[in-house]
Amino acid sequence: MYNLIDGKLVSAYIKDTVKEKTAELKAAGKEITLAVIIVGDDPASRVYVNNKKKACEYVGFRSLEYALPAETTEDELISLIEKLNNDSSVNGILCQLPVPAHINDEKVIDAISPEKDVDGFSKINVGKLWVGDYDLAACTPMGVMELLRYYNIEISGKNCVIIGRSNIVGKPMAALLLEENGTVTVCHSRTKNLAEVTSKADILVAAVGRAGFVTADMVKEGAVVIDVGINRNASGKLCGDVDFEKVKEKVSYITPVPGGCGPMTIALLMKNTLIAAEKQSNK
Ligand code: NAD
């Protein structure tokens, strides 16, 4: 019998913890501000930005939105980031990705001051993560770690296999699991005999972006399966990378999509913003 990992429940718990702490800081005269920049009018990005604003409202942060036209130049965008870096009332800055093709996203990410980089994407914060001395790491894999922690899932000494090596999910996921003494393997599009590798995983994290990619034969009996994917199946329904109905029969724990990793990402963005604000006020 499998256990369902409830991302809605755990994300609500995290947001409520952030909300409580934010109220305490507010009572002491300190307001927390997250600045969100969106360039262009990608509808998916607009949905994400609206959800981030709603979460800010819920936890009690002030949120600033900078909606820039698609023609914004890289220099203009970086000037805005520099202005926000220098504004001591702003604690966190994020630029919703993707940015239009004429803007170099790496330059934009690295323009954000590492202390305000609440997405944890900048090279400084990624480097800090890999040496095990980090405070701001990528929200989605941090959300996975919170789920594992909440359900008391042991990581130390376990075979942890990640499918996907992106900078925003796969790689930071590997660093975080390694930090907790997992034995980590990262698979990707050039991995040979993928099913052979994944079927040895005690903890399997799928971050591929393909509906139904992880089938039951790829999963070990009793494994913990974390599905980061967000896809639409043939009938347009939201689904993850894992063939949930078949895989669930084999596992000890599994995340659903929706309601698994998705809500955790925004909750961790709120937590990261609180951490950034606390660090800044302790300087
Ligand atoms: P990406 O496209 O940057 O990376 C996909 C990875 O999958 C690549 O590293 C690639 O090597 C690997 N891959 C592709 N085909 C493969 C194959 N046949 N075998 C093995 N590996 C293969 O995607 P991403 O940004 O890391 O996102 C992955 C998924 O997670 C997407 O569905 C995305 O929407 C979702 N996502 C969810 C959240 C969330 O909040 N839950 C956040 C970020 C991304």
Side-chain angles (χ1 to χ4, degrees):
M1 181 62 190
Y2 69 93
N3 297 288
L4 198 64
I5 296 181
D6 186 345
K8 277 194 200 154
L9 173 87
V10 185
S11 65
Y13 162 75
I14 290 172
K15 282 193 288 188
D16 283 340
T17 311
V18 172
K19 185 178 181 167
E20 226 170 83
K21 189 79 202 157
T22 304
E24 278 171 29
L25 290 170
K26 216 174 209 166
K30 169 96 188 102
E31 185 158 52
I32 299 181
T33 299
L34 174 65
V36 179
I37 305 169
I38 176 169
V39 187
D41 45 19
D42 177 60
S45 293
R46 173 40 67 195
V47 171
Y48 287 131
V49 167
N50 288 349
N51 288 341
K52 287 168 188 178
K53 273 168 72 177
K54 265 191 228 152
C56 282
E57 261 168 46
Y58 180 79
V59 300
F61 295 167
R62 184 170 74 115
S63 75
L64 301 175
E65 182 185 302
Y66 295 86
L68 308 181
E71 320 74 74
T72 303
T73 65
E74 189 176 286
D75 284 349
E76 285 167 338
L77 177 54
I78 290 178
S79 304
L80 169 62
I81 291 173
E82 280 164 359
K83 194 182 104 192
L84 296 169
N85 282 342
N86 293 326
D87 181 343
S88 61
S89 73
V90 172
N91 305 104
I93 304 168
L94 78 83
C95 181
Q96 185 65 42
L97 298 177
V99 284
H102 65 275
I103 298 176
N104 178 332
D105 54 2
E106 258 187 58
K107 272 198 199 163
V108 170
I109 290 166
D110 284 321
I112 299 172
S113 152
E115 294 80 35
K116 298 187 180 185
D117 167 33
V118 286
D119 263 338
F121 292 163
S122 69
K123 291 194 183 75
I124 300 258
N125 284 327
V126 172
K128 287 179 76 174
L129 171 62
W130 280 100
V131 296
D133 171 27
Y134 64 96
D135 29 63
L136 299 175
C139 299
T140 302
M142 285 285 274
V144 172
M145 298 307 285
E146 294 277 2
L147 289 175
L148 296 175
R149 204 168 295 132
Y150 190 89
Y151 286 88
N152 290 317
I153 294 167
E154 175 87 39
I155 300 168
S156 182
K158 300 291 178 194
N159 276 337
C160 304
V161 175
I162 302 155
I163 322 177
R165 59 171 162 186
S166 70
N167 288 337
I168 63 167
V169 187
K171 287 183 198 165
M173 189 75 255
L176 289 164
L177 290 167
L178 193 57
E179 193 56 26
E180 293 299 323
N181 304 310
T183 302
V184 179
T185 306
V186 182
C187 300
H188 47 79
S189 52
R190 309 276 178 95
T191 298
K192 304 247 191 294
N193 306 321
L194 182 67
E196 205 176 289
V197 183
T198 59
S199 56
K200 293 197 175 71
D202 301 309
I203 300 174
L204 179 61
V205 181
V208 183
R210 278 166 64 176
F213 184 83
V214 177
T215 47
D217 59 304
M218 295 168 73
V219 178
K220 179 170 143 177
E221 202 75 46
V224 174
V225 174
I226 306 289
D227 192 351
V228 176
I230 302 178
N231 315 296
R232 299 245 168 222
N233 65 14
S235 43
K237 207 173 144 229
L238 206 62
C239 66
D241 289 345
V242 176
D243 179 0
F244 183 84
E245 287 307 320
K246 300 237 171 69
V247 170
K248 76 179 198 300
E249 301 306 335
K250 280 186 92 172
V251 300
S252 57
Y253 287 90
I254 188 165
T255 58
V257 179
C261 297
M264 295 301 292
T265 299
I266 289 192
L268 268 291
L269 176 67
M270 299 300 110
K271 186 170 176 185
N272 272 357
T273 306
L274 173 66
I275 291 170
E278 285 178 325
K279 280 239 145 193
Q280 289 155 24
S281 63
N282 289 339
K283 259 187 167 176

